[in-house]
Amino acid sequence: MAALTLPLPSYTPPTSGASLLLAFRPQTPKTLFIIGSNALAAARAFAALEAGFAVVVADSHGLDHSCDEIRWRVQQSQISWIDLPVKQSSLAYDTVIESILEERLDLALVCVTDTLSPVASSNDNTMTHRAAATVAGMCRAKRIPVNVSDRPELCDYTFPACHRFQAITSCPGTRSQTKTSLQLSVTTNGKACRLASRLRREIIAALPKNVGMAVDNIGTMRQMAQEATSAGEKIEYNEPNEEDVAGSGLAPLLNTPVSLEVPGTSESNLAAQRRRMRWIAQLSEYWPLERLAAMTHDEMFAAMAREEALEASVGDGILAGTKSSRCSQRLKTAASSEETGKSEVPLDLITPPSNSDSAGDAAHNPASSGMPNNAPLLTSRHSLDILSKPSTSLKKGKILLVGSGPGHPSLLTIAAHKALTQFGTLVLSDKLVPAQVLALIPQGGNVKLYIAKKYPGNSEGAQNELMDMAVEGAMRGEIVVRLKQGDPFLYGRGGEEVLFFRKAGFEPVVIPGISSALSGPLLANIPVTQRGVAESLIICTGVGRSGKEVSLPGYRRERSLVVLMGVARLATLIQALTVTQGDGRRAGAPYPTYTPIAIIERASCPDQRVVASTLAEIEAILARNGEQRTPAMILIGWAALALSAEGDLEVLNDASNLATTDGADGELKEKDLERVRRWLGPERCLVQEGLEEGWDFIQ
């Protein structure tokens, strides 16, 4: 009877339009030949150098006309340079290119970068389409793949949007970066190059910052798994490359069974390496990337010891001999070292995992799992046991340098709100932070609140006290929230605190706050810039360090001036701005005395007050309206009246229209005085109490 022949199954038909993506790492010397010396050529050369290529760059415009990076790499003998004949598409030019392609037997790729402009001219260094097509034809005749920038029809290959991940190691004040083995490439096959760059950025942003270190650590563990045997013999056990297998349709290495040992026999070195490789595959698949990236060499060793212990516990009573004794000895050695205080591998890292029931209990009771009480419970997919970090690394606290915004709790950033309500265990607050913000701090718990004892004459002492308290708290393991009004770095002395904390060994996490310099005027219906009224903005302080006077800007009609911490010195401030013969405090023209000014007190708080008038009358108006409220800020300029009532957006147009007429200054002054009268009314001032009605809805 004839054998039954079954028809072959159908497979997915190929769809054209894709690229064959390769990771090209030449094992013998290969050369990339680049025609062009612009910035793109430098980028291509650098990428090739990192991949182990030799690089030859040629151009017809001389090395002196190449980009700085090309010149530097030639000077450093990192790349070679060849001068080409000046006239492209000439016999001499073609002959030189032909000879290079013919003589360089190690030439693997050609890249033309001087084609980013469609037509070459007398003042243009780019290659013509005809010359580029000629070069591409020569390359194909020699069977050398060629890439021609901006000419997809001439390309055998393209350069995708690439990124090489770095290993980031941080210590106070410094951040060092070394490149890892992980690279990412995105290609749209010539359809959307700009979008490819965006996709690359978004993929990178979605991954942990130190993901490249996870790759390098796994590579180190793979080398550890192939360590020499006790007899010094190196077993060359090479599995198929995971990257090749992942895209080939072959059975995943992760689920390939491992051969079981025969009871009473010892495990061969090859079998041991195979088992270790499967264990590393499990770690690669199920452990959090952050945990893999953070592993030290000792923790890698501990992970391998954990695998040995797991195998021994599974085979206890069944398997005897080399493996069990080897594992037991390793655990005993680690434990002994721990007792003597000389352990390179913390004992809690190599404690064998419990059975599933007790492991579940350990998830709720860290002490039962041998983990420190304050150790974070790291979990992974499928409940694969994860090494806890050494307890010594968990004792150090953190310092959060937080801006609280202008004062209204709704104007806190989400990060600042979380710092106050979820993270902080010690809050050190400036005295100007409003009570409604401090009320967000959990009451009756373990969170401690301390408010600065700043008063005239004690500013430096109170500042130093808070910084000392922050460092002391962080050393105790506290999450310290250093809470500052507005934005910490806009006259908030945030920079001093960063340097102080850094010197003490803590790099603070800076959480910006909404600055009152911008939000305060807006809460008073005053834009700091407005088309037709104010085109620029200067922010300055009313008092310098140790009470010294500061330099103030001169008058510009189109500019707003915001002054922080200046109300207490309002009289001297106005004098410096308006006096005709300056005393050196003002750089520029004097301000007209009828220039609008608005003082915003306790911006965004329920008792906010806005007092507005002119430079000539604001002191008297402020005194007439009772006690001042702190903190307060000042806005000077025509933006103060821009949105009042029906609005006035013709301030700059009036100046432009009158600029060429006789008596323009006098006429413009009359217009300005009239707009000020309309703005202020017969009272010659505006006083507004509280927030606008709409804010009641947001409370």
Side-chain angles (χ1 to χ4, degrees):
M1 183 176 180
L4 179 63
T5 303
L6 297 176
L8 290 173
S10 61
Y11 294 91
T12 304
T15 302
S16 61
S19 295
L20 180 61
L21 301 181
L22 305 173
F24 195 178
R25 296 181 59 204
Q27 301 303 307
T28 58
K30 297 293 182 183
T31 297
L32 170 66
F33 179 38
I34 301 175
I35 301 176
S37 58
N38 51 18
L40 180 60
R44 300 292 188 240
F46 180 72
L49 289 172
E50 288 208 316
F53 279 78
V55 177
V56 176
V57 178
D59 203 345
S60 58
H61 304 285
L63 182 59
D64 291 341
H65 291 86
S66 64
C67 74
D68 292 345
E69 184 176 347
I70 290 291
R71 292 203 304 273
W72 184 84
R73 295 197 185 280
V74 171
Q75 291 173 2
Q76 300 298 314
S77 300
Q78 295 180 6
I79 61 178
S80 302
W81 174 267
I82 296 177
D83 283 309
L84 295 178
V86 174
K87 188 176 181 181
Q88 299 173 357
S89 298
S90 66
L91 179 60
Y93 186 91
D94 294 347
T95 300
V96 173
I97 297 293
E98 183 80 25
S99 65
I100 294 173
L101 300 180
E102 185 74 33
E103 295 170 3
R104 297 298 298 250
L105 300 179
D106 61 344
L107 203 155
L109 299 170
V110 173
C111 175
V112 182
T113 66
D114 273 357
T115 50
L116 297 180
S117 179
V119 179
S121 61
S122 59
N123 60 352
D124 190 358
N125 291 341
T126 59
M127 181 183 291
T128 63
H129 180 84
R130 180 180 299 174
T134 300
V135 171
M138 293 179 185
C139 292
R140 291 197 178 91
K142 304 291 183 184
R143 297 184 179 180
I144 301 173
V146 62
N147 171 271
V148 183
S149 300
D150 219 22
R151 300 288 189 273
E153 71 280 4
L154 299 179
C155 293
D156 297 314
Y157 68 95
T158 60
F159 288 89
C162 295
H163 176 77
R164 187 173 179 184
F165 289 83
Q166 296 182 328
I168 303 172
T169 56
S170 297
C171 60
T174 61
R175 171 182 272 195
S176 61
Q177 296 183 344
T178 57
K179 294 185 178 180
T180 69
S181 301
L182 179 60
Q183 290 179 270
L184 171 71
S185 295
V186 178
T187 180
T188 58
N189 291 300
K191 299 296 184 182
C193 297
R194 180 64 63 181
L195 182 57
S197 297
R198 174 188 170 186
L199 292 172
R200 176 192 58 186
R201 294 195 307 270
E202 296 198 4
I203 293 171
I204 294 168
L207 292 170
K209 290 183 179 179
N210 234 7
V211 66
M213 200 61 207
V215 172
D216 284 357
N217 285 345
I218 289 295
T220 300
M221 293 182 70
R222 287 173 60 87
Q223 291 179 350
M224 293 170 63
Q226 297 181 13
E227 63 187 359
T229 65
S230 58
E233 179 188 2
K234 177 73 174 182
I235 300 297
E236 294 295 343
Y237 167 64
N238 296 312
E239 290 184 317
N241 187 288
E242 287 101 329
E243 294 176 5
D244 294 337
V245 172
S248 66
L250 301 177
L253 292 175
L254 183 67
N255 298 320
T256 304
V258 179
S259 300
L260 295 177
E261 300 177 31
V262 178
T265 64
S266 61
E267 183 182 37
S268 68
N269 289 319
L270 183 61
Q273 287 191 7
R274 183 181 293 114
R275 172 175 47 76
R276 291 170 188 149
M277 288 297 185
R278 296 299 186 271
W279 173 248
I280 294 172
Q282 293 283 327
L283 302 186
S284 301
E285 180 69 18
Y286 298 124
W287 275 31
L289 294 174
E290 296 89 341
R291 185 67 189 93
L292 290 173
M295 293 182 74
T296 65
H297 187 275
D298 290 340
E299 290 171 335
M300 295 179 209
F301 174 83
M304 301 304 294
R306 171 71 60 83
E307 187 269 346
E308 296 276 0
L310 179 60
E311 289 291 322
S313 64
V314 170
D316 189 28
I318 300 176
L319 301 180
T322 306
K323 181 179 68 172
S324 296
S325 59
R326 193 167 57 231
C327 174
S328 299
Q329 183 59 38
R330 178 174 289 186
L331 291 176
K332 288 177 181 178
T333 301
S336 175
S337 299
E338 180 73 7
E339 292 172 359
T340 60
K342 300 179 180 179
S343 173
E344 295 183 355
V345 184
L347 184 62
D348 65 318
L349 296 184
I350 58 176
T351 303
S354 306
N355 59 42
S356 58
D357 294 335
S358 59
D361 295 337
H364 301 284
N365 181 13
S368 67
S369 64
M371 294 171 59
N373 290 333
N374 59 343
L377 294 177
L378 300 174
T379 58
S380 65
R381 293 161 58 192
H382 305 283
S383 299
L384 183 67
D385 189 43
I386 297 178
L387 306 177
S388 61
K389 285 196 172 184
S391 58
T392 54
S393 67
L394 301 172
K395 293 178 180 178
K396 197 172 182 180
K398 291 184 179 295
I399 299 177
L400 311 181
L401 190 55
V402 179
S404 66
H408 197 290
S410 297
L411 295 178
L412 285 168
T413 63
I414 294 176
H417 190 276
K418 286 184 175 180
L420 285 175
T421 61
Q422 300 179 28
F423 304 145
T425 60
L426 173 61
V427 180
L428 304 176
S429 173
D430 283 349
K431 73 172 186 178
L432 294 178
V433 176
Q436 55 266 37
V437 172
L438 298 179
L440 297 173
I441 301 171
Q443 303 295 317
N446 297 323
V447 182
K448 299 170 285 293
L449 170 64
Y450 183 87
I451 300 175
K453 299 175 181 177
K454 287 189 178 181
Y455 53 83
N458 187 46
S459 177
E460 288 295 326
Q463 175 75 8
N464 293 336
E465 180 186 27
L466 285 185
M467 293 193 297
D468 288 336
M469 292 179 66
V471 171
E472 291 168 2
M475 286 181 173
R476 294 192 304 268
E478 304 265 17
I479 304 299
V480 180
V481 176
R482 177 67 182 95
L483 190 63
K484 303 179 75 67
Q485 178 75 343
D487 182 89
F489 288 81
L490 189 57
Y491 300 117
R493 303 185 68 171
E496 299 173 34
E497 299 195 21
V498 165
L499 296 177
F500 182 87
F501 299 147
R502 182 178 293 164
K503 187 175 181 180
F506 296 91
E507 188 68 21
V509 177
V510 176
I511 300 178
I514 298 175
S515 174
S516 59
L518 304 179
S519 60
L522 193 56
L523 288 162
N525 207 28
I526 298 172
V528 292
T529 63
Q530 171 61 52
R531 194 173 73 158
V533 181
E535 297 175 341
S536 61
L537 167 69
I538 286 183
I539 302 173
C540 68
T541 177
V543 58
R545 185 177 177 85
S546 302
K548 296 179 180 178
E549 294 181 344
V550 296
S551 178
L552 298 169
Y555 175 72
R556 295 289 297 270
R557 185 178 183 85
E558 72 279 6
R559 186 165 65 196
S560 298
L561 172 63
V562 170
V563 184
L564 303 179
M565 302 176 291
V567 175
R569 297 167 178 79
L570 185 61
T572 57
L573 177 69
I574 292 176
Q575 182 183 14
L577 290 174
T578 57
V579 65
T580 304
Q581 298 297 327
D583 57 1
R585 284 196 62 192
R586 187 189 68 241
Y591 279 70
T593 56
Y594 53 82
T595 303
I597 178 174
I599 297 177
I600 302 100
E601 301 172 317
R602 295 185 59 77
S604 81
C605 295
D607 57 342
Q608 171 182 297
R609 183 174 68 172
V610 182
V611 180
S613 186
T614 62
L615 289 176
E617 300 189 71
I618 188 62
E619 291 180 72
I621 298 297
L622 195 61
R624 196 166 67 215
N625 280 274
E627 185 178 1
Q628 296 178 13
R629 306 172 190 177
T630 57
M633 56 166 299
I634 303 169
L635 180 134
I636 302 170
W638 294 102
L641 54 72
L643 300 185
S644 180
E646 293 83 10
D648 186 348
L649 306 182
E650 298 299 319
V651 173
L652 299 185
N653 286 339
D654 288 347
S656 299
N657 295 336
L658 295 173
T660 57
T661 62
D662 295 335
D665 291 343
E667 190 173 350
L668 182 59
K669 179 179 179 180
E670 289 301 320
K671 277 183 169 289
D672 286 342
L673 289 172
E674 176 58 30
R675 64 172 31 102
V676 168
R677 283 192 287 269
R678 290 197 309 268
W679 173 47
L680 297 177
E683 299 290 333
R684 299 205 303 274
C685 71
L686 293 174
V687 179
Q688 180 180 340
E689 292 277 357
L691 290 168
E692 293 189 354
E693 293 182 2
W695 276 90
D696 295 338
F697 174 76
I698 302 175
Q699 296 285 2

